[in-house]
Amino acid sequence: MNPTTRRSVLRGALAAAATPLLAGCVTAGGGDQGPALRGQVTKDNPLGVALDAPLEVVIFKGAYGDQYALDAERAYNQRHPQAKINHQAIQKVGEALQPRFVADTPPDVVDNTGAGALDLPTLVKANQVSDLSELLDSPSLHDPSVRVRDTLLPGVVDDGTFNGRPRALNLVYTAWGVWYSRTLFAERGWSYPKTWDEMLTLCGEIKKSGIAPWTHQGKYPDYVGDLLVSMAFKAGGNDLLVAVDNLEPNAWKHEAMINAATAFAELVGRGYVMPGSEGLSHTEAQAAWSQGKAAFLPSGSWLESEQKGVTPENFQMVMMPPPQLSTSDKMPAAAVRAGGAQSFIVPEKARNRQGGMDFLRTLFAVPQARRFAELASALPSVKGATEGLRLSSGVDSVRNAVNAAGDNAFRYRFRTWYGTLKKSWDDATGELFTGRLTPQQWADRVQRAADAVARDPNITKYRR
């Protein structure tokens, strides 16, 4: 494919899958940057970074801020003192960078995170993101006898791998579950339920106390959707998880999926969800929860950092895995969805591609990962990075959940691989939680979306 045609395809794909082009932004007429800069490979410079090459770093400035990245840039400069670093902290990553990818003038390293992130499968299909094998097989900074890939927690490399090639590296080891206040539960004598029957019983007690049992981020249904499918996968086991990711016929109509959807519909039917939750943003729902208006909230392990400055002192927020649908679930009660988040990529057309990789080598070393944990109240993806740290209640609970899950930590990929399927799943889940869809109708709608993706020859398919 010639460059002009390839750019046209990329422009159209990104426009459909990510965000619209900004009016007046650079388009494909700017020309290629030329070959990426490379320097001499040495023991101290295993990735062959050109020592005087400038480095452009783009960071998503969300719940974790960007101070951790500034610290990593200083550490990078200590090893590459001639490098001038251009640091940009933004929020709408896709909107800002899409024109630059189309024009083959991308930054050197990108934190591709947030609601407006670039569509990673589209970039992979267009060969716009580098294979990170060279980085992963290089010696780690904190222990040169160990490769970078061997310093990462289980599943981190897999989370960013497409058809056998690692294309993204996730800084945060995230777990998704149910959050509550340890202080509130201790005061009321409540215990976290292990099964859904126990959950319904406890919700009845909570409602009698004058507190809504649940609230959720109604404008963003994937929060509660994550819990729903996690409970289904715990019930149906890894075979169901693989069937969903591999777009197998009728996977979404599996009994475990219907039962999980029924369980969440029952919360609504029994009045166990705080009125008005369907209209709340994530910050509004989380604020109501922090104010004690609801007992349970679905979220990932970024929640504590996102709630800094809002949550009362001694709230003691903690996360637990979603309850089992029943004691006959194929996965144990401790099983939890856990894996990488805060996704970093090195564009294939980056001028200083080697520098981009070496910046990630710096960021994913224990000293910088430890600094990230201290600043962000989050669990980094690097082994041993939190050893000896005094952790907040939220981060400590996430670490405990991940340790308790062990090999039963699971992850699914359909929402990352297939944007149109994720959108249909989000929409159907929102309808389910407002009572406008029955559990069976929810399953039918999502299955139709999955079948449409499976039939579409223009969508690249991935398999587990």
Side-chain angles (χ1 to χ4, degrees):
M1 182 179 293
N2 66 56
T4 301
T5 303
R6 182 195 57 72
R7 289 177 192 160
S8 298
V9 170
L10 178 62
R11 186 188 300 114
L14 284 173
T19 55
L21 280 170
L22 288 174
C25 278
V26 179
T27 57
D32 291 339
Q33 289 180 294
L37 298 170
R38 295 187 72 102
Q40 184 177 1
V41 174
T42 66
K43 180 180 178 181
D44 295 328
N45 187 20
L47 291 168
V49 180
L51 299 184
D52 60 348
L55 181 73
E56 185 179 2
V57 181
V58 175
I59 298 296
F60 169 71
K61 191 169 184 178
Y64 302 133
D66 67 332
Q67 184 59 51
Y68 71 92
L70 292 168
D71 291 345
E73 288 162 17
R74 278 192 284 272
Y76 178 94
N77 259 151
Q78 288 176 1
R79 292 185 298 108
H80 305 295
Q82 299 176 58
K84 181 179 179 180
I85 297 179
N86 177 2
H87 172 95
Q88 299 174 53
I90 62 177
Q91 292 190 331
K92 296 180 180 180
V93 176
E95 186 177 277
L97 298 186
Q98 178 188 333
R100 296 187 58 186
F101 274 88
V102 172
D104 287 342
T105 59
D108 300 312
V109 62
V110 178
D111 174 7
N112 188 40
T113 307
L118 291 154
D119 187 72
L120 186 55
T122 297
L123 293 177
V124 170
K125 184 177 181 179
N127 197 33
Q128 285 287 304
V129 286
S130 297
D131 182 334
L132 298 179
S133 297
E134 186 179 2
L135 161 65
L136 293 169
D137 291 331
S138 67
S140 67
L141 271 176
H142 61 274
D143 185 353
S145 68
V146 180
R147 298 179 302 173
V148 170
R149 70 168 69 245
D150 297 323
T151 68
L152 304 176
L153 290 171
V156 172
V157 175
D158 288 343
D159 282 337
T161 296
F162 291 78
N163 287 339
R165 293 188 176 187
R167 303 284 191 168
L169 202 55
N170 297 317
L171 178 61
V172 185
Y173 202 69
T174 298
W176 289 258
V178 181
W179 289 79
Y180 66 93
S181 164
R182 180 186 290 153
T183 302
L184 173 65
F185 272 51
E187 290 174 352
R188 303 282 180 154
W190 298 332
S191 297
Y192 184 77
K194 292 184 178 180
T195 67
W196 196 252
D197 283 344
E198 292 177 2
M199 171 62 77
L200 293 176
T201 298
L202 177 58
C203 284
E205 294 180 26
I206 293 172
K207 187 176 182 180
K208 290 177 184 176
S209 75
I211 300 172
W214 282 80
T215 189
H216 65 101
Q217 305 85 337
K219 289 185 177 180
Y220 305 101
D222 55 336
Y223 282 86
V224 72
D226 276 326
L227 276 188
L228 191 162
V229 296
S230 290
M231 286 177 57
F233 293 142
K234 288 176 73 163
N238 193 63
D239 289 345
L240 174 58
L241 188 154
V242 171
V244 166
D245 278 351
N246 288 349
L247 303 174
E248 293 183 10
N250 297 318
W252 286 92
K253 298 182 181 182
H254 191 283
E255 180 184 19
M257 282 289 187
I258 302 295
N259 289 343
T262 300
F264 278 86
E266 195 168 12
L267 286 180
V268 180
R270 293 194 183 195
Y272 291 161
V273 178
M274 188 179 77
S277 292
E278 67 274 9
L280 299 180
S281 68
H282 62 297
T283 54
E284 291 167 337
Q286 291 160 194
W289 173 73
S290 293
Q291 293 161 8
K293 295 178 181 178
F296 293 119
L297 177 81
S299 191
S301 49
W302 60 85
L303 177 65
E304 187 175 38
S305 178
E306 206 162 54
Q307 290 301 101
K308 279 184 178 179
V310 178
T311 306
E313 290 186 19
N314 200 36
F315 187 82
Q316 292 287 301
M317 67 172 69
V318 292
M319 189 211 76
M320 290 291 286
Q324 292 180 302
L325 280 173
S326 74
T327 55
S328 61
D329 280 7
K330 292 185 178 179
M331 292 186 188
V336 67
R337 181 190 170 205
Q342 201 81 5
S343 181
F344 283 80
I345 59 174
V346 175
E348 181 66 17
K349 298 289 184 177
R351 180 68 169 163
N352 189 9
R353 188 174 59 229
Q354 302 307 111
M357 290 192 189
D358 204 56
F359 172 78
L360 294 185
R361 182 168 167 258
T362 306
L363 184 61
F364 282 77
V366 163
Q368 297 305 320
R370 186 181 183 86
R371 177 63 174 155
F372 173 79
E374 292 171 333
L375 288 169
S377 296
L379 186 65
S381 296
V382 181
K383 295 175 183 176
T386 60
E387 287 182 8
L389 284 181
R390 183 177 180 180
L391 301 176
S392 60
S393 61
V395 179
D396 190 48
S397 71
V398 171
R399 183 173 65 176
N400 291 341
V402 168
N403 289 341
D407 292 339
N408 291 301
F410 61 89
R411 58 197 60 84
Y412 53 85
R413 304 293 301 280
F414 75 87
R415 59 176 290 169
T416 304
W417 285 344
Y418 307 113
T420 57
L421 175 54
K422 179 191 180 300
K423 178 67 165 58
S424 296
W425 168 62
D426 281 350
D427 292 345
T429 301
E431 296 282 287
L432 173 74
F433 237 63
T434 55
R436 291 192 288 268
L437 285 183
T438 67
Q440 185 64 57
Q441 289 170 333
W442 171 86
D444 291 343
R445 181 183 290 190
V446 183
Q447 186 61 56
R448 284 196 298 271
D451 292 342
V453 171
R455 290 192 303 266
D456 191 336
N458 296 315
I459 297 177
T460 301
K461 309 303 188 299
Y462 303 98
R463 292 191 64 82
R464 297 183 64 133

